[in-house]
Amino acid sequence: MKHLFSALSLCTAALLSACGGGGGSDSPGTDTPLTLGAFVGVGESGGNLMLDASASALGLGGSASAGGAQGVLSAGTSRLVFRTVQRIVSDATVSLEQPQAVSSETVMCDHTGSFSITANDANNNLILDAGDSITYSFTNCAFSSGEPAVWGSLAFTVNSVSGSGPGATVRMTVVYGNFGTNSSNLNGSASVTATNTSMSFTYNGVDVVFNTRSAKYYHTVAFDVSGVNPTATLNGNVVFNGAGYSLSTPVTIVFGNIYPTSGTLRVTDKKGGYVNLIAALTTLTIDLYLPGDGVRDAQAIINWTDLAGLDG
């Protein structure tokens, strides 16, 4: 597992320094209907899911750092998760380089703190297969001045590898252990299925904190990176600040150089009211439809750059 271990050590600084996450149980969270006075906040929370998906799919650059603490969590840590999955899938097609069941290394972060990576070839057979794992542990890790430090752990365990070469499919579990910054973090686990061109994350009740906002993820986000522009769909359930909603994607979300550029995410309450979150090049439009209405009841338009900074 030497080449995987070395590559991840080298790329983590780049991933985090560019800082800017089918779901589970039936209708978790309280029954809190969307209203004219409260739909914008729900739309913003749904927009954060779209930004997080964009960070995962694209690996956002320096412009995402304007998001403050939330930006660090959304882009930096999502990039790390996504790139690690890609690397694991790549390693499913080749033999590992050395007969060492467990490799561990601690790396100093450029500005403050450190992180460690532990790679475990569980059955010591030089092949990436079920039971192998990679664990990151961060301690006050920041790569530049003014950047919030990252804490906590991120652990990947391979459940199965099927096929070979470009057609290999890897199924794994990722566990977030208070992973993020002092004010924004994730706790819980997700199930991941990945190939060279697609990745699907199913969150198993992951607790998410973005400063003053909280969420719990039970949904699936499925990425397709086979085309010129990555795309994603989101489906399942989510809880925003204690209130339960369902997610669907009437129009597949397409990502541009930084933000989503097209597509629609729908957030539906338990009474049947919903908001359509419509992505454009620089803006997110939030359209409210109350139960039984065939016409739009209200609308708000937010710049992506403003949304990315709301919790920072």
Side-chain angles (χ1 to χ4, degrees):
M1 202 168 283
K2 180 180 178 181
H3 63 296
L4 171 61
F5 177 74
S6 300
L8 291 177
S9 297
L10 292 172
C11 76
T12 300
L15 295 176
L16 289 175
S17 62
C19 293
S25 62
D26 293 335
S27 302
T30 61
D31 182 355
T32 306
L34 292 161
T35 64
L36 288 171
F39 79 97
V40 174
V42 173
E44 290 171 347
S45 294
N48 285 332
L49 293 181
M50 299 171 77
L51 288 176
D52 189 68
S54 183
S56 296
L58 300 171
L60 289 179
S63 60
S65 63
Q70 180 200 341
V72 171
L73 188 63
S74 294
T77 59
S78 292
R79 290 183 70 191
L80 178 59
V81 173
F82 198 75
R83 296 286 180 85
T84 302
V85 171
Q86 288 179 316
R87 185 70 195 192
I88 291 172
V89 172
S90 175
D91 278 327
T93 68
V94 298
S95 296
L96 306 179
E97 290 184 356
Q98 62 176 6
Q100 183 173 356
V102 180
S103 300
S104 185
E105 181 178 349
T106 298
V107 179
M108 302 306 297
C109 303
D110 290 347
H111 180 63
T112 185
S114 64
F115 68 93
S116 64
I117 303 176
T118 300
N120 182 11
D121 181 7
N123 57 8
N124 202 21
N125 65 352
L126 302 183
I127 297 172
L128 186 75
D129 52 15
D132 292 350
S133 64
I134 300 166
T135 301
Y136 293 83
S137 295
F138 297 89
T139 303
N140 196 35
C141 176
F143 288 92
S144 63
S145 177
E147 173 186 295
V150 174
W151 297 80
S153 63
L154 179 67
F156 298 86
T157 300
V158 177
N159 299 320
S160 68
V161 179
S162 58
S164 60
T169 298
V170 180
R171 292 176 174 83
M172 68 190 84
T173 300
V174 56
V175 177
Y176 309 92
N178 202 32
F179 177 56
T181 68
N182 283 330
S183 58
S184 302
N185 55 68
L186 298 89
N187 283 281
S189 68
S191 302
V192 182
T193 300
T195 70
N196 280 337
T197 58
S198 66
M199 296 186 194
S200 176
F201 289 76
T202 297
Y203 296 101
N204 304 313
V206 172
D207 290 302
V208 183
V209 175
F210 288 131
N211 280 357
T212 60
R213 300 187 185 199
S214 66
K216 199 172 184 75
Y217 292 173
Y218 298 91
H219 63 282
T220 292
V221 54
F223 297 95
D224 184 336
V225 294
S226 62
V228 175
N229 293 98
T231 64
T233 58
L234 290 85
N235 292 281
N237 297 309
V238 67
V239 177
F240 294 138
N241 291 324
Y245 304 94
S246 63
L247 302 174
S248 60
T249 315
V251 182
T252 298
I253 301 167
V254 179
F255 304 108
N257 291 331
I258 299 179
Y259 302 117
T261 58
S262 65
T264 301
L265 174 64
R266 180 170 294 172
V267 182
T268 304
D269 67 24
K270 298 182 181 184
K271 301 296 186 185
Y274 64 90
V275 288
N276 279 341
L277 310 180
I278 304 168
L281 186 63
T282 61
T283 60
L284 175 69
T285 297
I286 306 171
D287 287 343
L288 171 66
Y289 293 85
L290 296 174
D293 288 358
V295 296
R296 184 179 64 210
D297 292 284
Q299 183 182 79
I301 300 175
I302 302 173
N303 293 325
W304 284 123
T305 52
D306 293 334
L307 181 60
L310 281 178
D311 294 304

